[in-house]
Amino acid sequence: MQLRYIEDLAQGQETPLLAIAVADGASATEAYLSAIDSVLRGGVEAVMTAGDVTGKSSDEVVLYGQAEGPRRVVLLGVGKADDLDAEKLRRFAGRAVRVAERLKLEALTISLEGMDGVDAEVAAQAVAEGAGLAAWKFTELQAEDEESPTVLVNAVDLVGGDTAASSAGAMAGAAIARAVNFCRSLQDRPGNVATPTHLADEAERMCSAMGLDVTIFDEARMREEDMHALLSVTRGSDEEARFIIMEHRGGEDGEAPLILVGKGLTFDSGGISIKPSQGMEEMKYDMSGGAAVIGAMQAIAELGVHANVVGLVPASDNMPSGTATKPGDVISSLAGKTIEVINTDAEGRLILADALAWGARMKPAAMVDCATLTGSVIIALGHHAAAVISNDDALVAELREAGDSSGERCWQLPLWDEYRKQLDSGAADLQNIGGRPAGSITAAAFLKEFVADVPWAHLDIAGTAWGEGKLPYQRKGGTGFPTRLLVEWVRRRAG
Ligand code: BES
Ligand code: MN
Ligand code: ZN
């Protein structure tokens, strides 16, 4: 999708569709609305006088223009002006794209007017993100329906706003949307396509396009490095595992990096502790954390963020076979700790253990991992927020703020020392499950054993990485969560 910022008036655009935000209680006499009316023969005023658009967030009316200027204008209510924020603008832009789709239009223009309560750069970024995310669809494995070919929006122009701030925001939002959509395409690819090798190939392709350094470990290299926890998970699979290292050098030489770690479990059958077959197909999205880190690295490179950032993705299948790790096996790990594998379905924490230990050796300023780690986070928070669990409350505050402004929220769960007892093992330094109570927290307590003294936070995204497409800028499938949050956090850190 092509996104441009155009320094021009909305009413002058030769566009098949112009989308306009209308806040609750706005009147047709407002300058930006009456300007539109000049090319609509008073249509806006008529609609608003009739009360058909009052600014409520469900309002939507399409008006038809004349030969000059916008062919159609859609007025979209956005709720109370005082409550307007970035997330409401993402949804507004998503609705505008859905209206264009319904009308089978490939292009539209979105006005940045009527958003005075929101900083101009933030508003343009949010609108660009919402439009870019809404226009994207995963189609690569399906034939075109010849009767009614899908028409997707492929060009969006933003107009109005404040030139310098709005064009900067629009360009950042477009880069972030591309990164999230890259993440979503990796998520939506099934396990037979998105293998560990495929993730590594895609990371390599992205890194060479963006000028990032990239290193890929194969299993022989993992063995040399003592990554026995990661190797224990891939043992049962015929697919080769990969460990992906991506490096963005945007900071000073020698400046401690920020490290992003993502679980790249390309299919989670549960291994010998096999999952029930009902719904097992969804476990193709168990690589969502890894996909988000690869996507975030793309945006960080494209935005030229002034920080050193390293992305780490342990990528593996989890399969049962005669060579698979068995319940009761005791394995080693990169950090040297031994682990009793009670349940082979608690595999994410094993591959993350080695990735986090690898990251900790680089003495990062902070390290954040994201992983579809536990079903129990869905019981705790549903699908509206990720859990954030950490050894550093200041880092939690940063991530909560980055989450609120990116629209990818997270909510803290505690990590008190008492939880560690649930991981005591009779046979090894620790065991890989902590029983039913506080499943998301004991998973994080396990990870904490491998981060040494690095400020670290874990995001459990099992409830947020995949969805039914409930928001206007989403579709059924991968959501890209937490690509936007990670990029926002890194940008804020870089100042
Ligand atoms: N990948 C799953 C977690 C998951 C569940 C992700 C639902 C997305 C949706 C993870 O590897 C897993 O199997 N976790 C187990 C842990 C248990 C064995 C301690 C779980 O949550 O049941
Ligand atoms: Mn599992
Ligand atoms: Zn898993």
Side-chain angles (χ1 to χ4, degrees):
M1 202 267 286
Q2 170 96 20
L3 187 128
R4 299 185 302 180
Y5 176 75
I6 295 184
E7 192 182 341
D8 199 0
L9 301 172
Q11 59 270 26
Q13 300 303 305
E14 292 298 329
T15 176
L17 178 68
L18 171 67
I20 305 273
V22 181
D24 206 352
S27 103
T29 58
E30 281 191 47
Y32 79 99
L33 291 174
S34 59
I36 299 299
D37 243 357
S38 63
V39 293
L40 281 182
R41 304 173 217 123
V44 176
E45 197 185 352
V47 165
M48 293 183 72
T49 312
D52 294 359
V53 168
T54 61
K56 283 200 188 55
S57 55
S58 54
D59 287 350
E60 174 192 310
V61 167
V62 181
L63 298 165
Y64 289 78
Q66 307 181 48
E68 306 264 287
R71 280 315 92 72
R72 305 169 188 79
V73 173
V74 60
L75 303 175
L76 293 166
V78 292
K80 291 200 173 61
D82 289 346
D83 296 343
L84 206 56
D85 62 14
E87 180 57 19
K88 294 212 169 69
L89 293 177
R90 275 183 211 101
R91 294 178 190 187
F92 154 73
R95 287 160 66 205
V97 168
R98 295 285 172 260
V99 171
E101 267 174 12
R102 226 168 47 226
L103 296 169
K104 301 209 174 298
L105 305 174
E106 292 186 343
L108 79 152
T109 299
I110 303 178
S111 168
L112 298 174
E113 301 295 336
M115 304 172 181
D116 292 344
V118 184
D119 171 82
E121 186 169 342
V122 170
Q125 182 184 323
V127 169
E129 286 177 2
L133 295 176
W136 180 88
K137 190 175 185 187
F138 184 74
T139 56
E140 65 190 38
L141 300 177
Q142 275 174 320
E144 251 320 337
D145 179 347
E146 305 218 336
E147 306 277 276
S148 63
T150 30
V151 177
L152 293 177
V153 168
N154 59 33
V156 177
D157 288 344
L158 307 189
V159 293
D162 168 271
T163 306
S166 301
S167 61
M171 289 309 107
I176 290 166
R178 272 195 294 280
V180 177
N181 292 339
F182 177 30
C183 172
R184 292 161 88 192
S185 55
L186 296 176
Q187 288 184 283
D188 283 7
R189 286 177 192 154
N192 63 327
V193 177
T195 60
T197 312
H198 177 81
L199 284 191
D201 289 348
E202 287 285 291
E204 248 178 342
R205 194 182 49 74
M206 180 279 285
C207 287
S208 41
M210 294 291 151
L212 299 182
D213 291 337
V214 58
T215 312
I216 311 285
F217 289 0
D218 61 9
E219 291 183 7
R221 180 70 190 272
M222 290 172 209
R223 219 162 280 119
E224 278 169 35
E225 302 287 354
D226 286 326
M227 299 181 133
H228 300 296
L230 171 51
L231 285 165
S232 80
V233 173
T234 194
R235 282 183 63 92
S237 175
D238 288 346
E239 285 292 338
E240 277 257 329
R242 292 289 182 264
F243 184 61
I244 305 167
I245 306 170
M246 297 161 282
E247 292 175 79
H248 167 75
R249 297 174 200 276
E252 301 293 321
D253 278 348
E255 187 182 301
L258 301 172
I259 299 190
L260 308 177
V261 181
K263 173 179 174 182
L265 209 291
T266 45
F267 186 73
D268 185 10
S269 70
I272 297 297
S273 314
I274 197 162
K275 289 180 181 293
S277 48
Q278 178 77 42
M280 198 203 270
E281 71 284 357
E282 289 213 331
M283 282 302 116
K284 67 179 179 183
Y285 85 82
D286 212 16
M287 33 57 72
S288 295
V293 167
I294 296 171
M297 292 303 292
Q298 171 174 304
I300 287 162
E302 209 174 329
L303 296 170
V305 175
H306 295 300
N308 293 329
V309 187
V310 178
L312 301 176
V313 179
S316 172
D317 267 359
N318 184 24
M319 296 289 281
S321 82
T323 59
T325 294
K326 303 172 290 296
D329 285 0
V330 174
I331 60 165
S332 182
S333 63
L334 179 63
K337 295 194 182 186
T338 60
I339 303 161
E340 184 183 11
V341 179
I342 303 289
N343 187 320
T344 65
D345 199 10
E347 84 299 335
R349 61 197 77 184
L350 298 176
I351 68 172
L352 287 170
D354 281 351
L356 290 168
W358 185 269
R361 284 186 184 175
M362 302 169 92
K363 303 266 174 248
M367 179 156 65
V368 176
D369 79 72
C370 55
T372 47
L373 206 60
T374 65
S376 65
V377 79
I378 309 175
I379 307 300
L381 295 170
H383 301 288
H384 302 291
V388 55
I389 308 174
S390 172
N391 61 6
D392 187 301
D393 282 342
L395 180 56
V396 169
E398 290 174 17
L399 291 166
R400 292 256 346 262
E401 281 166 28
D404 288 350
S405 68
S406 65
E408 293 184 327
R409 289 176 295 189
C410 55
W411 195 259
Q412 186 178 19
L413 298 180
L415 189 49
W416 296 309
D417 291 341
E418 284 81 349
Y419 292 107
R420 171 63 180 79
K421 288 220 169 19
Q422 289 174 239
L423 300 174
D424 284 349
S425 160
D429 295 335
L430 75 170
Q431 64 181 34
N432 77 329
I433 59 169
R436 280 181 53 85
S440 304
I441 298 175
T442 55
F446 182 93
L447 299 179
K448 185 180 172 226
E449 294 291 311
F450 298 90
V451 302
D453 53 2
V454 171
W456 150 84
H458 157 65
L459 297 167
D460 194 331
I461 59 169
T464 47
W466 194 259
E468 292 300 312
K470 295 220 167 97
L471 299 179
Y473 57 77
Q474 295 177 335
R475 296 190 199 267
K476 184 173 161 50
T479 60
F481 195 111
T483 308
R484 275 151 38 201
L485 186 165
L486 295 176
V487 173
E488 180 66 20
W489 174 67
V490 168
R491 288 181 89 193
R492 284 169 178 241
R493 270 272 179 156

